[in-house]
Amino acid sequence: MLSSTDSQPSTASTTSTPSRTEGVIPDTSLLDALAAVAERAPDSLAVVDEHASMSYRELHRVAMAIGAVLDARLTPDDHSGRGVGVEPGGASVPVGVMVSHNAESVVAILGIVHAGRTVVALDPFLPEARLHHVVTLAGIVDVLVDDEHAEQAAALVADPSSIVPLAEVLGEARAMADGDADIPTVPAAATRGGQDALDIIFTSGSTGAPKGVVVTHRQTLVDTIAQRSSFRLEPADRIASVLPHGFAAGITLVFSALLAGASVHVADPRRTGIDRLATWVQRSALTTLHTTPHLVRSLVGGLDRTDDRLRGLRLVATVGEAVTGTDVSALRPLLGATTSFCNWTGSSETCVYAVNEIAAGDPIPERSIPSGHIVVGKRIEVRRPDGSLADIGEPGEVVCVSDAMTSGYWGAPEQTAKRAGTAPDGTPTWAIGDLGRFDEDGKLTLLGRADDAVKVRGYLVEPSEVEAALRTVDAVHEAVVVAVKAPPAPTRLVAYVVTSQGRRSPSPAALRKALRDLLPDYMVPTSIVPMPALPRNERGKVDRAALPEAPALGTTIGEDGQALAEDTYDQWELAVGQIWAEVLGLPTVGPLRLPAVGLDNDFSALGGDSLTAEELLAAVSDRLGVDLPSSELLEHPTLRTFTARIRQGSVASPRHPDIVTLAQRSEGTGAPVFCVAGAGALALTYVPLTRRLGDRPVYAFQQHGLERRSVPDWSIRAMARRYIELMRIAQPSGPYTIVGHSFGGLVAVEMAALLTAAGQQVSRVVLLDTYLPEQAADQADVVEFGELDLGRARSGRGLGLARAVVDRTSAFRKRVVAPFGEVGRHARAYGAGVVRWQGQRQFRAFFDHALVVSRGYRPPAFDGPVTLVIADGNETGSARWAPFLRGEVDEVRMHCEHSSVLREPHVEELAAALAERFEADAAALAG
């Protein structure tokens, strides 16, 4: 058995102290230990929330009194054990507690322990079906509940009389505690300790059906010692309790803080929100914040880098899911100069078993943060499939060895037997279910769930490694990767990605290409699904069961990584397919470079957007000598039909270069929608919105000369007149619905005013994050093309450095660089349409042209209904538009950056808002 004084092991087994803790850690009960703290520091602050506080003496006496009151009121305990697999008498009839996350929750839980009962925290935020499952599985009869949740709790039990109002119990208990008389100890509580059940924690169910983990008194005591040692908890600490008390880490942190003599400050981020939470941290002068990576990312996304409200913390620790170097680097600017960060690793079954501290000056790993060194009271072994110990650096199954772990799953001895075991020296073992490895310094790194590892194209892949790589890509806020197995199709990876707040949503194709710089081909997800947020359970963990179904894709690559059928493609399809794979970031395999694109796959479904489309058309022109406008990709969206179109060469049926039909009119569909693209933007930018508007016909306009050499329009009114002529071919008379994005919104208002003056009805104008002309110049680096591109950062440190350079050189760039930029901008603007620029410079030229055209422009007055869709950072609300929009104006606020309103996943929210208004307009016309 190894200890911290042993030499470096050659096999992957390490411990901080012996895993058998008898004689090493005092064998006392939790209640005795808390009583000792109350005796030492009776007047010290113990627990506080925004409404109430308690000293240690008050907390101890009130909790004891609650125990006495409950002992007289609760259903008698039969000490049946319920088949948990613990020693006879080790389990008691569980008592549920449904109380808001506050100081009363802490005292209620301690009161149930003083009653000699086993605690089950019922989180009010859980769905009713999940709460029913917990109550039924645990065999809960009585529920201690506050007034706010009495009705919710009553729906969970068969007998309403088993609902125990906390207000009544507290009233009796306070009357008892306020006197000087001794409070009687409940006999059942006096005998409980060791391997007896303290509480039952129900797992999140992310790896299957939820199970009740029996947490013992000794397990909790040993865990508090490990936490106090690892986090250096002291009486002077003011510790944030923001993790739910139904979460193992949440309740053991409370006990750890109390046994350290520190003060516990309770708040629920689900109620406060990010801004109020940060203010609470500062006003409460908190010293530690133990939370989840998800809440850390929310703080980073919701607070400005100059915000100082978290800088008084000496320690931030995260638990519950993987945290990456990108997360820590992004958090650093919000913390103080000496604040440490800890990755805190454990499970409900084992409690904490490893902690990795990153001090303020320490280097930050680029991807995953190691779990760290093993804590006091635990030994971790990394085992090969045959049960032998793996070597240092060799991956294997992680097994915890300790006499301070769960006694098993409640009412499920067969499930317990699958995980529990015994070491040769008689110490209990527990198979955690994760893969991991030790490094030369004795640090453990987790590699993902043992049952998550999958074979992709013949290679073993850990999805967690792909997730870590995704989080290093600039603009990615969160990501989760799952393996999709649907035989006979080969196994493939699907990534669900959330964009950082205020950043442009990268297309799936762009993300795949970024990952290709970081990972081998077989680890790059074939499907990337943009999400506004990842679904999470009450503990903040990703709810994988709630993720949307992965899109179905055709493929030509087999499970072994080889081509399925090399004769699937003809010569043209192979050449075009290779171009598709290149611009979409998809792999090619075999001697023929067979692309992972099915002939009937849709370009947009594979992750292509307007920028990718332009890249594709440029590559087709360069390599195959065929020049096509973007509208051809809409008419021929699959690899099969697009290749057939290319075979015809540049000659095809005529298409007008300024209007693109995005959705055709069919019998019985709604009125058409006419969309105006932003400056330098293709009509294709409206494809995601079109797909979500049902069967409604949709047409989109783009600047004259953008895709076919022509002299562009040099006024907004000339653009509006041109678009109206084309619009009236598709729809000769009103009522018209017009949508404009950014600069296109100015054109849309001009069109509406001209149509109204001509006696035509305009049922609605929608302005998608449109800036007034006087603001447009200030937004030149933000609108249409997104924020100034800092490039992909391989780590959060690289991103922080890049942003620091931008910040510190801003004055120089404004005084010296900007004038030269203006010269180039004017040259491009006046050459737009006449000079054909390559690649993105062509779009930039038309963007600059629009800036010149809008300079000095004053929108006309329009009296019809207008919807203003406003993204983050845009201050052009209805009040600022009031001189021009004199009819009914409503606002839709979207939490995304300017160009992302038309991109997944935010376009779903936009489409729903517009569909509601379009239907109301149709109903008004019909009435």
Side-chain angles (χ1 to χ4, degrees):
M1 188 167 300
L2 299 167
S3 71
S4 57
T5 60
D6 291 321
S7 60
Q8 177 63 46
S10 60
T11 53
S13 171
T14 189
T15 182
S16 194
T17 64
S19 54
R20 182 168 288 281
T21 59
E22 292 95 337
V24 178
I25 294 174
D27 190 9
T28 184
S29 76
L30 175 67
L31 297 182
D32 287 344
L34 288 171
V37 177
E39 186 175 353
R40 287 197 308 271
D43 298 323
S44 295
L45 181 63
V47 61
V48 59
D49 62 21
E50 62 178 333
H51 300 298
S53 64
M54 284 186 174
S55 67
Y56 270 93
R57 180 182 186 277
E58 184 181 8
L59 176 64
H60 177 59
R61 288 184 61 82
V62 171
M64 280 193 70
I66 288 175
V69 174
L70 290 178
D71 186 51
R73 296 188 59 160
L74 296 178
T75 303
D77 186 358
D78 64 5
H79 296 277
S80 65
R82 303 265 176 188
V84 182
V86 296
E87 294 297 322
S92 62
V93 174
V95 175
V97 54
M98 183 179 282
V99 178
S100 294
H101 187 80
N102 53 28
E104 286 189 352
S105 173
V106 174
V107 73
I109 288 171
L110 286 173
I112 294 172
V113 178
H114 273 285
R117 298 301 184 93
T118 301
V119 180
V120 178
L122 302 173
D123 192 330
F125 281 84
L126 282 172
E128 184 177 351
R130 172 67 181 268
L131 288 169
H132 266 295
H133 174 88
V134 170
V135 169
T136 302
L137 184 60
I140 292 172
V141 176
D142 300 300
V143 180
L144 185 61
V145 62
D146 58 14
D147 292 342
E148 181 182 353
H149 302 102
E151 185 176 342
Q152 185 180 3
L156 303 175
V157 295
D159 184 2
S161 66
S162 63
I163 296 298
V164 182
L166 177 61
E168 293 180 12
V169 172
L170 265 177
E172 293 182 45
R174 287 187 184 279
M176 189 184 303
D178 286 345
D180 294 327
D182 289 340
I183 301 172
T185 300
V186 175
T191 61
R192 294 185 66 78
Q195 297 301 323
D196 293 333
L198 174 68
D199 62 346
I200 303 174
I201 300 294
F202 281 83
T203 61
S204 63
S206 59
T207 56
K211 299 185 289 288
V213 179
V214 178
V215 178
T216 70
H217 280 255
R218 182 160 190 78
Q219 177 183 357
T220 303
L221 271 173
V222 173
D223 192 60
T224 65
I225 293 171
Q227 290 193 41
R228 282 180 279 160
S229 172
S230 299
F231 304 135
R232 300 181 297 282
L233 303 183
E234 298 176 349
D237 274 315
R238 300 168 67 85
I239 296 171
S241 171
V242 297
L243 297 169
H245 295 153
F247 187 19
I251 190 60
T252 58
L253 176 66
V254 170
F255 294 145
S256 298
L258 292 176
L259 291 181
S263 56
V264 178
H265 299 252
V266 192
D268 193 338
R270 298 171 295 186
R271 295 178 184 270
T272 65
I274 294 303
D275 188 67
R276 282 181 57 200
L277 182 72
T279 298
W280 170 74
V281 169
Q282 184 181 50
R283 289 180 177 174
S284 301
L286 301 187
T287 59
T288 76
L289 176 63
H290 293 70
T291 183
T292 62
H294 175 60
L295 185 56
V296 163
R297 293 172 196 136
S298 298
L299 286 166
V300 169
L303 303 180
D304 186 82
R305 288 164 53 87
T306 60
D307 198 302
D308 64 354
R309 286 176 287 178
L310 304 183
R311 291 180 183 164
L313 294 166
R314 70 166 181 83
L315 175 73
V316 174
T318 62
V319 69
E321 62 180 342
V323 63
T324 66
T326 305
D327 296 324
V328 181
S329 295
L331 178 65
R332 275 288 180 220
L334 299 176
L335 303 180
T338 61
T339 309
S340 281
F341 176 87
C342 285
N343 184 19
W344 171 25
T345 304
S347 68
S348 301
E349 294 88 343
T350 64
C351 288
V352 61
Y353 58 80
V355 172
N356 185 26
E357 181 172 0
I358 302 175
D362 291 347
I364 300 173
E366 289 189 359
R367 296 190 190 176
S368 297
I369 303 294
S371 297
H373 291 107
I374 309 308
V375 302
V376 62
K378 300 293 195 305
R379 184 170 85 237
I380 291 294
E381 296 179 350
V382 176
R383 297 179 178 178
R384 300 185 180 106
D386 63 4
S388 62
L389 294 182
D391 292 330
I392 296 298
E394 180 183 359
E397 184 178 12
V398 178
V399 176
C400 187
V401 185
S402 175
D403 65 351
M405 299 189 295
T406 181
S407 57
Y409 294 121
W410 180 263
E414 69 289 345
Q415 293 291 330
T416 300
K418 293 178 181 179
R419 297 283 188 183
T422 306
D425 64 358
T427 307
T429 65
W430 191 268
I432 295 172
D434 286 323
L435 297 176
R437 62 170 175 259
F438 278 106
D439 63 19
E440 294 291 345
D441 295 326
K443 283 187 176 181
L444 176 70
T445 295
L446 294 185
L447 305 174
R449 298 292 299 175
D451 49 6
D452 280 350
V454 292
K455 280 285 188 74
V456 178
R457 291 161 49 189
Y459 297 91
L460 189 66
V461 175
E462 294 293 344
S464 61
E465 188 175 351
V466 184
E467 292 171 358
L470 264 169
R471 292 191 189 110
T472 68
V473 177
D474 193 19
V476 173
H477 177 57
E478 291 187 305
V480 63
V481 176
V482 299
V484 175
K485 301 176 182 178
T491 300
R492 62 191 178 96
L493 298 178
V494 177
Y496 298 85
V497 175
V498 178
T499 303
S500 298
Q501 186 175 357
R503 304 304 301 276
R504 180 175 183 164
S505 301
S507 70
L511 287 174
R512 277 196 296 262
K513 286 192 281 188
L515 284 178
R516 278 188 152 41
D517 291 338
L518 305 172
L519 299 170
D521 276 356
Y522 60 85
M523 294 182 70
V524 177
T526 55
S527 295
I528 296 181
V529 182
M531 301 276 287
L534 295 178
R536 293 184 177 273
N537 58 33
E538 73 284 357
R539 302 180 186 190
K541 290 187 177 182
V542 175
D543 186 354
R544 294 170 184 263
L547 290 168
E549 185 176 352
L553 294 178
T555 185
T556 56
I557 300 177
E559 195 72 64
D560 59 357
Q562 302 303 310
L564 289 176
E566 295 188 355
D567 59 352
T568 301
Y569 297 95
D570 63 24
Q571 183 178 359
W572 275 100
E573 290 164 343
L574 179 61
V576 177
Q578 289 168 346
I579 296 175
W580 275 43
E582 179 181 320
V583 301
L584 291 167
L586 293 168
T588 58
V589 299
L592 295 181
R593 293 183 55 239
L594 195 69
V597 181
L599 285 171
D600 295 313
N601 282 162
D602 183 284
F603 184 78
S604 295
L606 290 171
D609 63 356
S610 59
L611 296 179
T612 317
E614 179 61 23
E615 186 180 353
L616 170 68
L617 296 172
V620 167
S621 174
D622 181 56
R623 299 182 200 177
L624 304 180
V626 179
D627 293 312
L628 297 175
S630 59
S631 58
E632 295 289 356
L633 193 54
L634 289 173
E635 295 291 329
H636 311 93
T638 68
L639 178 57
R640 188 190 305 276
T641 57
F642 187 70
T643 303
R645 170 64 189 87
I646 288 177
R647 280 195 182 98
Q648 301 173 19
S650 299
V651 180
S653 56
R655 295 281 189 275
H656 198 287
D658 302 339
I659 183 170
V660 177
T661 302
L662 300 179
Q664 293 277 12
R665 173 185 288 276
S666 58
E667 193 68 30
T669 58
V673 176
F674 295 91
C675 305
V676 185
L682 291 170
L684 285 175
T685 57
Y686 281 99
V687 169
L689 176 63
T690 302
R691 291 176 181 273
R692 294 185 178 276
L693 288 180
D695 295 331
R696 188 181 297 273
V698 181
Y699 304 88
F701 303 103
Q702 59 192 28
Q703 285 163 277
H704 186 63
L706 181 63
E707 287 198 290
R708 190 173 297 173
R709 185 171 291 170
S710 297
V711 176
D713 296 310
W714 278 97
S715 73
I716 289 177
R717 171 161 288 205
M719 293 181 189
R721 291 189 184 280
R722 181 186 298 277
Y723 297 162
I724 287 173
E725 289 179 7
L726 295 171
M727 182 170 66
R728 296 187 74 169
I729 295 173
Q731 183 183 344
S733 60
Y736 294 104
T737 299
I738 309 172
V739 179
H741 177 234
S742 195
F743 169 79
L746 299 177
V747 182
V749 173
E750 185 74 37
M751 292 171 67
L754 289 173
L755 287 166
T756 302
Q760 294 293 326
Q761 183 179 359
V762 177
S763 58
R764 184 169 299 274
V765 173
V766 179
L767 304 184
L768 302 179
D769 208 41
T770 295
Y771 290 80
L772 285 165
E774 62 265 25
Q775 296 175 287
D778 295 334
Q779 297 296 322
D781 287 324
V782 178
V783 298
E784 256 75 55
F785 291 90
E787 293 181 342
L788 183 65
D789 184 15
L790 300 176
R792 289 196 307 274
R794 294 297 179 90
S795 70
R797 287 174 293 161
L799 178 58
L801 176 62
R803 284 180 174 160
V805 170
V806 171
D807 292 341
R808 293 178 184 179
T809 61
S810 60
F812 170 78
R813 288 185 290 109
K814 286 180 180 178
R815 291 196 307 268
V816 180
V817 179
F820 290 98
E822 284 300 308
V823 172
R825 201 164 251 160
H826 278 79
R828 280 202 305 260
Y830 288 101
V834 178
V835 177
R836 182 72 181 175
W837 303 92
Q838 291 299 312
Q840 288 298 305
R841 286 186 297 172
Q842 174 73 357
F843 299 102
R844 276 287 184 185
F846 274 86
F847 176 73
D848 296 337
H849 167 263
L851 286 179
V852 173
V853 166
S854 63
R855 194 166 292 150
Y857 172 73
R858 181 176 176 82
F862 176 62
D863 297 326
V866 175
T867 297
L868 294 178
V869 177
I870 302 174
D872 290 339
N874 187 350
E875 299 178 358
T876 313
S878 55
R880 200 159 185 171
W881 274 98
F884 314 106
L885 306 180
R886 299 173 181 174
E888 175 190 343
V889 178
D890 68 303
E891 292 186 9
V892 176
R893 294 277 175 175
M894 293 185 63
H895 294 298
C896 62
E897 63 83 47
H898 174 79
S899 62
S900 296
V901 296
L902 284 171
R903 299 167 72 89
E904 299 288 356
H906 308 288
V907 72
E908 181 177 7
E909 176 188 355
L910 172 65
L914 297 190
E916 179 182 347
R917 287 158 177 78
F918 294 164
E919 289 171 9
D921 293 341
L925 288 171

